[in-house]
C-alpha cells in the first residue's frame, strides 16, 4: 500500500477513476529495486503508469515531458547523481522519495543544486518513505539484501569488530526496524534477551521511538499515516532474540519444500534461478553447441501451489505435483474430445441437439482456458524446481542427513556412528559434513574428549572440510 501510494505521487490511489494513470518514470537504486521487486510485478507497475523503470546510476536519456519518481537511499553518491539530473534537466518534474530519512545537510545539497540549475519549481515533492525493509511474504520481512554481510551474524560476532563498526551495524538494524513500525503505524512493546546484541538494538530502537513521539506535531505515528491505530491498546510485541541462543537450527538440513529450495538452490527475494540441463535433441548441423539455459521463476503469494505446499515435507510436494498434473491432463483431454465432436456429420435432429449441448460445454471449456494455461505454467514451474531439488537430495543424500540430525537434536539413539557418515565418500559435500558435525558438537551435553575430537577432525580433513567453523564453535562453546 505504501509503495502504491508513493507511485501515485504520494496521494492514496482512487479506486473508481476511469481516467488513464499519469505516465511516469521510476528511478531507483539497488536498494529500491530490492524493495519493489518482491511486491510489484512489471505489469502492476505498468497499471500504475510506470512506463520505464531505470537504475539511478545507469545512463539515462532526457525525457523532458514526463514526471520522474525517485526511490533511493539518501547516500552521498545518490544525492550527487540526483543533483546532476536536475542540472541536466532530464525530466519534467521530480518526486524525490527516500527509503530512509534524509539528513538536513543532504537536503540542503539538493536545494542548492536545484537553485543552481534553476529547477526549484520542478522539484514537486520530497518525501521520507521509511520503507527500508524488504517484505517477502505477508508475515515476513528481511532487513537488507544489498551488502547483507553488513548486518549478519558474522558481522556482529567477529572478534576483530571495532566499536564504531558495531555502532554502524546496530544503527542499520534499528533504522530498518523503525521504518517497519512507521509503515505499520504502530508502536511496539519491546522485549529482548539481556547482555546481547539484541539488547543494544532494543535500547537504540526504544530511544528512537521515544524521540519521535516527543515532538507531537511531527510525529510519524499521528495524523494521516497509513495505519492510524497508533494509540490503540493492541500494541504489537517485538521480541528481539540473539541467534546464539540456538545455533544448531540454521545449520540443520531441512526437509520442507521452501526450506530446501532456500538451502540447495539459488533463491533470493522470492526468485529462484535454475540451470536447465541441456536436452539430448540434436541441433542442426553447423549450429553452435547449446548453452545451458538459465531460467528464473518467481515463487510469490499469488502462486497457489507454493502457498499451499511451501511448508510441506518434500515427498508430499512431489505427490501433489503429480496429482495436479493428472487433473490438468484430464481437463485438457476433455477440451480435445469436445473439439473432436464438433466436426459432426449430417443434419439430423440428434446431431443438432448434441451440437447445442456441446456448444455450451465448449464455451465453458474455452472460457476456462486462461485458468488452464495458468495451471499448466505452475505445474511446469514446480516440476522444474522440485526436480532440481530432488537431484540435490539424491546426489548429496540429504534425506540421510536430515534424519540423522533430527535424531541428534532430539537426543535419540543413533543407528549409525557419526564417523561412518563423515567418512562415507558418497554422502554429501564437505560443507554438509561440517554442518552435521557442528550440530552434533553444539547439541551434545558434554563435548567429545580430545582423543575423539582428533579422530573426527582427521575424518573431516580427509573429507576436504575447512576446519575454521569448528574452531569457532569450539571457542564459542
Amino acid at each position: 500500500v505504501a509503495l502504491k501510494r508513493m507511485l501515485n505521487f504520494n496521494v492514496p490511489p482512487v479506486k473508481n477513476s476511469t481516467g488513464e494513470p499519469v505516465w511516469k518514470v521510476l528511478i531507483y537504486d539497488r536498494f529500491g529495486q530490492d524493495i519493489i521487486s518482491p511486491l510489484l510485478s512489471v505489469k502492476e507497475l505498468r497499471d500504475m503508469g510506470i512506463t520505464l523503470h531505470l537504475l539511478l546510476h545507469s545512463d539515462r536519456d532526457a525525457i523532458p515531458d514526463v514526471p520522474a519518481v525517485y526511490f533511493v537511499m539518501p547516500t552521498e553518491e545518490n544525492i550527487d547523481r540526483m543533483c546532476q539530473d536536475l542540472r541536466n534537466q532530464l525530466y519534467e518534474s521530480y518526486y524525490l522519495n527516500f527509503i530512509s530519512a534524509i539528513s538536513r545537510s543532504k537536503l540542503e545539497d539538493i536545494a542548492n543544486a536545484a537553485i543552481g540549475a534553476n529547477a526549484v519549481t520542478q522539484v514537486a515533492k520530497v518525501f521520507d518513505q521509511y520503507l527500508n525493509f524488504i517484505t517477502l511474504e505477508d508475515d515476513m520481512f528481511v532487513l537488507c539484501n544489498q551488502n547483507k554481510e553488513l548486518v549478519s551474524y558474522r558481522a556482529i560476532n567477529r572478534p576483530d569488530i571495532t566499536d564504531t563498526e558495531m555502532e554502524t551495524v546496530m544503527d542499520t538494524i534499528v533504522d530498518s526496524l523503525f521504518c517497519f513500525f512507521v509503515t505499520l503505524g504502530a508502536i511496539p512493546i519491546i522485549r529482548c534477551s539481556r547482555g546481547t546484541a539484541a539488547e543494544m538494538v532494543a535500547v537504540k530502537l526504544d530511544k528512537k521511538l521515544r524521540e519521535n513521539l516527543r515532538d507531537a506535531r511531527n510525529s510519524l505515528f499521528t495524523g494521516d499515516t497509513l495505519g492510524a491505530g497508533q494509540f490503540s491498546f493492541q500494541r504489537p510485541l517485538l521480541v528481539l532474540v540473539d541467534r546464539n541462543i540456538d545455533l544448531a537450527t540454521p545449520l540443520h538440513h531441512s526437509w520442507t519444500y521452501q526450506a530446501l529450495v532456500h538451502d540447495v538452490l539459488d533463491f533470493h527475494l522470492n526468485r529462484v534461478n535454475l540451470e536447465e540441463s541441456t536436452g539430448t535433441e540434436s541441433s542442426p548441423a553447423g549450429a553452435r553447441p547449446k548453452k545451458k539455459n538459465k531460467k528464473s521463476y518467481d515463487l510469490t503469494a499469488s502462486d497457489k501451489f507454493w502457498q499451499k505446499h511451501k511448508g510441506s515435507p518434500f515427498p508430499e510436494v512431489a505427490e501433489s505435483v503429480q496429482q495436479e498434473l493428472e487433473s490438468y491432463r484430464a481437463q485438457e483431454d476433455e477440451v480435445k474430445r469436445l473439439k473432436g465432436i464438433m466436426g459432426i456429420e449430417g443434419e439430423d435432429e440428434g446431431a443438432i441437439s448434441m451440437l447445442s449441448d456441446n456448444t455450451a460445454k465448449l464455451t465453458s471449456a474455452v472460457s476456462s482456458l486462461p485458468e488452464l494455461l495458468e495451471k499448466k505454467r505452475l505445474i511446469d514451474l514446480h516440476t522444474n524446481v522440485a526436480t532440481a531439488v530432488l537431484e540435490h537430495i539424491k546426489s548429496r543424500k540429504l534425506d540421510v542427513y536430515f534424519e540423522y540430525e533430527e535424531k541428534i537434536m532430539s537426543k535419540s539413539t543413533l543407528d549409525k556412528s557419526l564417523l561412518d557418515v563423515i567418512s562415507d565418500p558418497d554422502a554429501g559435500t564437505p560443507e554438509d559434513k561440517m554442518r552435521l558435525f557442528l550440530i552434533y558438537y553444539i547439541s551434545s551435553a558434554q563435548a567429545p574428549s580430545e582423543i575423539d575430537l582428533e579422530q573426527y577432525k582427521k575424518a573431516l580433513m580427509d573429507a576436504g572440510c575447512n576446519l575454521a567453523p569448528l574452531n569457532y564453535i569450539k571457542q564459542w562453546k
Side-chain angles (χ1 to χ4, degrees):
V1 173
L3 283 174
K4 285 184 172 168
R5 181 171 167 156
M6 175 189 87
L7 295 174
N8 202 34
F9 305 127
N10 288 305
V11 285
V14 187
K15 282 281 186 293
N16 51 12
S17 61
T18 49
E20 286 277 294
V22 181
W23 299 114
K24 45 197 170 288
V25 185
L26 171 64
I27 314 283
Y28 45 49
D29 60 359
R30 290 260 177 243
F31 291 95
Q33 187 179 22
D34 287 346
I35 292 169
I36 293 173
S37 68
L39 293 173
L40 297 171
S41 64
V42 175
K43 180 187 172 303
E44 287 172 290
L45 287 176
R46 194 161 297 131
D47 293 344
M48 303 198 59
I50 303 289
T51 46
L52 268 181
H53 39 97
L54 306 160
L55 278 166
L56 178 66
H57 292 283
S58 58
D59 293 329
R60 291 172 282 121
D61 300 324
I63 312 176
D65 47 358
V66 174
V69 176
Y70 284 76
F71 184 51
V72 295
M73 281 295 238
T75 58
E76 285 290 332
E77 50 194 332
N78 284 354
I79 304 272
D80 290 346
R81 186 62 194 254
M82 289 160 90
C83 295
Q84 196 182 320
D85 288 357
L86 289 172
R87 285 189 212 98
N88 298 345
Q89 305 208 337
L90 289 190
Y91 306 109
E92 175 192 57
S93 56
Y94 303 84
Y95 292 81
L96 311 180
N97 297 282
F98 296 103
I99 299 174
S100 276
I102 182 171
S103 66
R104 181 72 203 230
S105 61
K106 287 181 181 152
L107 254 183
E108 285 167 3
D109 295 345
I110 296 178
N112 288 333
I115 292 166
N118 207 357
V120 178
T121 48
Q122 289 160 301
V123 179
K125 284 184 180 170
V126 181
F127 260 82
D128 287 335
Q129 286 293 346
Y130 292 101
L131 288 175
N132 190 12
F133 57 95
I134 301 170
T135 306
L136 297 178
E137 292 171 23
D138 288 350
D139 309 324
M140 182 172 84
F141 67 97
V142 291
L143 298 191
C144 74
N145 180 55
Q146 297 296 323
N147 342 352
K148 58 168 158 298
E149 61 281 355
L150 292 181
V151 291
S152 59
Y153 175 84
R154 182 178 170 272
I156 298 174
N157 290 286
R158 43 173 241 265
D160 57 346
I161 188 166
T162 62
D163 287 355
T164 47
E165 284 175 310
M166 190 68 161
E167 285 290 314
T168 314
V169 174
M170 295 297 134
D171 288 342
T172 313
I173 296 174
V174 168
D175 182 59
S176 289
L177 289 175
F178 182 72
C179 288
F180 173 73
F181 285 108
V182 171
T183 304
L184 204 63
I187 294 160
I189 294 164
I190 307 175
R191 293 285 176 269
C192 64
S193 42
R194 287 203 177 281
T196 57
E199 189 176 16
M200 287 173 74
V201 173
V203 170
K204 273 180 180 283
L205 182 61
D206 177 70
K207 186 171 166 223
K208 194 159 181 164
L209 287 164
R210 284 177 196 281
E211 277 170 7
N212 186 268
L213 286 171
R214 198 168 297 140
D215 181 0
R217 281 175 321 180
N218 292 328
S219 173
L220 295 163
F221 295 96
T222 52
D224 62 343
T225 46
L226 302 169
Q230 61 280 32
F231 296 124
S232 71
F233 293 107
Q234 297 295 321
R235 284 169 59 191
L237 175 67
L238 171 65
V239 182
L240 291 165
V241 209
D242 199 289
R243 180 77 266 175
N244 274 327
I245 290 175
D246 171 25
L247 256 188
T249 304
L251 298 168
H252 184 24
H253 286 88
S254 45
W255 197 232
T256 55
Y257 190 27
Q258 184 178 26
L260 271 166
V261 169
H262 194 279
D263 192 3
V264 302
L265 302 179
D266 174 16
F267 183 54
H268 291 293
L269 300 183
N270 293 350
R271 170 170 292 178
V272 60
N273 296 311
L274 293 180
E275 271 196 2
E276 288 196 323
S277 48
T278 44
T280 47
E281 73 272 15
S282 57
S283 46
R288 275 184 293 188
K290 282 205 172 89
K291 277 207 290 235
K292 275 198 170 177
N293 282 341
K294 279 210 161 164
K295 283 223 155 168
S296 63
Y297 301 110
D298 288 323
L299 299 172
T300 57
S302 57
D303 177 340
K304 291 196 184 68
F305 186 88
W306 177 246
Q307 285 308 89
K308 190 173 170 192
H309 294 292
K310 62 185 179 189
S312 311
F314 191 72
E316 277 179 32
V317 175
E319 266 172 48
S320 307
V321 173
Q322 195 55 42
Q323 286 163 0
E324 291 278 320
L325 192 60
E326 278 158 17
S327 80
Y328 166 75
R329 288 207 174 120
Q331 272 175 292
E332 199 181 34
D333 291 345
E334 176 67 5
V335 175
K336 281 189 185 145
R337 195 179 64 79
L338 287 169
K339 281 185 183 161
I341 296 176
M342 292 311 274
I344 299 169
E345 308 296 314
E347 289 294 314
D348 59 0
E349 288 301 302
I352 299 290
S353 67
M354 230 169 105
L355 185 67
S356 58
D357 186 32
N358 278 310
T359 312
K361 274 193 188 166
L362 191 68
T363 314
S364 85
V366 168
S367 64
S368 67
L369 265 180
E371 199 182 310
L372 210 60
L373 287 170
E374 174 62 9
K375 202 169 188 178
K376 171 138 177 42
R377 187 185 74 80
L378 289 183
I379 292 170
D380 289 348
L381 185 161
H382 287 287
T383 307
N384 289 345
V385 173
T387 310
V389 171
L390 187 64
E391 281 170 10
H392 278 277
I393 293 176
K394 280 184 183 156
S395 67
R396 290 161 55 182
K397 296 195 180 172
L398 295 182
D399 46 341
V400 177
Y401 277 100
F402 166 71
E403 283 174 23
Y404 204 87
E405 288 165 8
E406 283 281 282
K407 283 180 183 162
I408 293 176
M409 289 163 87
S410 61
K411 311 266 192 283
S412 45
T413 49
L414 303 171
D415 46 0
K416 194 173 167 190
S417 89
L418 187 62
L419 217 49
D420 290 350
V421 182
I422 293 173
S423 33
D424 174 0
D426 298 333
T429 60
E431 191 183 76
D432 291 328
K433 296 181 177 182
M434 197 68 204
R435 279 164 64 176
L436 171 68
F437 185 69
L438 289 179
I439 291 174
Y440 163 71
Y441 194 83
I442 292 168
S443 308
S444 56
Q446 70 262 35
S449 67
E450 280 300 316
I451 303 163
D452 288 356
L453 194 60
E454 282 309 312
Q455 205 180 353
Y456 283 129
K457 270 189 179 173
K458 186 177 179 317
L460 287 166
M461 299 255 301
D462 293 345
C465 297
N466 171 8
L467 291 185
L470 175 58
N471 298 335
Y472 174 79
I473 291 291
K474 195 174 163 188
Q475 214 174 353
W476 171 83
K477 189 147 178 166

